[in-house]
Amino acid sequence: MRSMIQRIWVMVAAFGLLGMTVGCQPQGASQQTDNTASSAPIQSHAVTVDIKNFAYSPETIHIMTGTTVTWRNDDSVSHTVTSGANQKADGVFDSKDMAHGQTFSYTFSKPGTYHYFCAYHPIMTGTVIVTAGSSSSGADNMAGMNMSNASPSSGTEKYTIAPLGTGTSGEPKQADDLRLLPYTMEDGYKVFHLTAEPVWWQVKPGQKVEAWAYNGSVPGPEIKVDQGDKVKIVVTNKLPEGTTVHWHGLDVPFSQDGTGGVSQPDIKPGQTWTYTFTVTAPPGTYMYHSHPMTDMEKQEDMGLFGPFIVEPKGTGWTQVHPGYQDEYTLVVNDSPQFGYTINGLSYPATPVLPAKVGDKVLVHLVNIGSMNHPMHLHGMHFQLLEQDGYPLPAPQTMDTVDTAPGTTYDLAFVANQPGKWLFHCHITAHVTDSQGNMTGMITMFDVKN
Ligand SMILES: [Cu+2]
């Protein structure tokens, strides 16, 4: 009995440690430390990952099929490179013991996301994201990238990464740090323009990564329409590979659904595609994201998503939910490229959301990640009003809403006392770095008298 309990404790401890690891590690991918780079890395058919200071560097690499990755152990102690997640080997590759100076190589022949870890040191994890394509086909292959190497001189430039993303269409920045996508009226349609392209994105000071973004920002700009609007959304693809846009939750005709290879061909690099539909969904929170025939996971991980808010016809939210003074949209995400973020940013870079005592605050909440995030509000309870754009049978009073991947929520509260009230994911690994500092999925409402 005692040994059973001990074993359970060992498991709990191991998973706890692993949780911390998962929490702080995804942010390491393809970071820029200087502010000058504006051009791209590069494919290669041989990539090296250093093992030193108990970490894989770079921790996340993007490569094409056919690429051989070589890990080299620069630490004085032995490590392994073992494929699998949560410390469970999946048998795809395993270096076994690598003493100081030893190397291990593996050639990735199939697309996919490969997680790996050190069998001795659970804090050491890494990811290889493999894109279909041939690394040896030379200059005409646009699909691949090796973001582990940001030096333009190390290979043939395959695509250009625009300067640090700040929104490319002059969209005004809102208090929640999102941009609002402007439109023009043409023949009774609200016409919007989205351009998908690689940019640099600053997740927080000191953490600059490559992003694939709509109009230069992660998330893409907020599209806000009225129920019943006729819309045209013109999508231009400046990515190095095909893409589409899916209108998540909006019940559009099949031809406008944006599923690559199913409802349409992928929009090729350099091409433009126009989506046309009438917004029949009820007022509420929805989203848009890329949904290409291949590489959907990569494209979403790289930042191709944004919120889509439907308002009541004409008068805004006050018609359905009278008296709101503050309205914020918060998009939570957990991609390997950015780590744990709210509106593309990691605490302390996340927006501080102002409110006055007595304000009614409306929050549109979107989970575009691959994990659940129980979002918890300090100091006040909120009412959960809607899920996936549709009203609940009755509002539910709560302080934590467990958001699932792909779901959207509308919640509201009265800011009834002054303070800086955190709103954060309650999975501690999603809000703590390896030194124990607060980071990641934390934002706050700054309620003032
Ligand atoms: Cu979380």
Side-chain angles (χ1 to χ4, degrees), residues 63-246:
I63 57 171
M64 288 181 301
T65 49
T67 302
T68 298
V69 179
T70 298
W71 288 264
R72 186 182 60 231
N73 183 10
D74 293 335
D75 275 344
S76 57
V77 302
S78 288
H79 294 297
T80 76
V81 173
T82 306
S83 68
N86 299 333
Q87 273 204 291
K88 288 205 182 87
D90 61 15
V92 176
F93 52 84
D94 188 358
S95 68
K96 307 293 185 191
D97 277 19
M98 294 167 68
H100 172 76
Q102 289 190 324
T103 62
F104 167 72
S105 295
Y106 182 80
T107 301
F108 290 85
S109 56
K110 288 187 187 148
T113 299
Y114 298 81
H115 297 285
Y116 64 90
F117 59 93
C118 171
Y120 296 114
H121 306 104
I123 60 164
M124 297 172 60
T125 59
T127 304
V128 181
I129 298 170
V130 184
T131 304
S134 167
S135 66
S136 57
S137 64
D140 57 355
N141 191 319
M142 300 292 283
M145 49 183 182
N146 166 18
M147 296 191 301
S148 67
N149 186 345
S151 164
S153 64
S154 64
T156 309
E157 190 174 318
K158 287 298 175 280
Y159 61 90
T160 300
I161 306 176
L164 201 62
T166 53
T168 54
S169 305
E171 300 98 344
K173 194 172 174 182
Q174 306 181 105
D176 49 23
D177 253 306
L178 296 173
R179 271 86 185 165
L180 186 63
L181 189 60
Y183 61 86
T184 54
M185 288 303 300
E186 292 172 29
D187 300 328
Y189 286 86
K190 286 183 177 172
V191 181
F192 298 88
H193 291 266
L194 289 175
T195 298
E197 68 176 329
V199 299
W200 294 110
W201 183 249
Q202 183 162 282
V203 179
K204 65 179 175 185
Q207 187 186 356
K208 192 166 83 161
V209 298
E210 183 188 346
W212 289 8
Y214 294 117
N215 294 14
S217 70
V218 181
E222 180 170 292
I223 298 177
K224 210 175 218 184
V225 300
D226 289 350
Q227 186 179 23
D229 276 352
K230 295 197 297 181
V231 300
K232 283 186 183 176
I233 303 166
V234 183
V235 177
T236 301
N237 181 7
K238 291 188 178 175
L239 302 170
E241 63 182 41
T243 193
T244 64
V245 182
H246 170 61

Side-chain angles (χ1 to χ4, degrees), residues 340 372-374 425-427 430 441:
Y340 298 102
N372 278 52
H373 299 291
C425 176
H426 215 285
I427 295 174
H430 300 181
M441 280 183 176

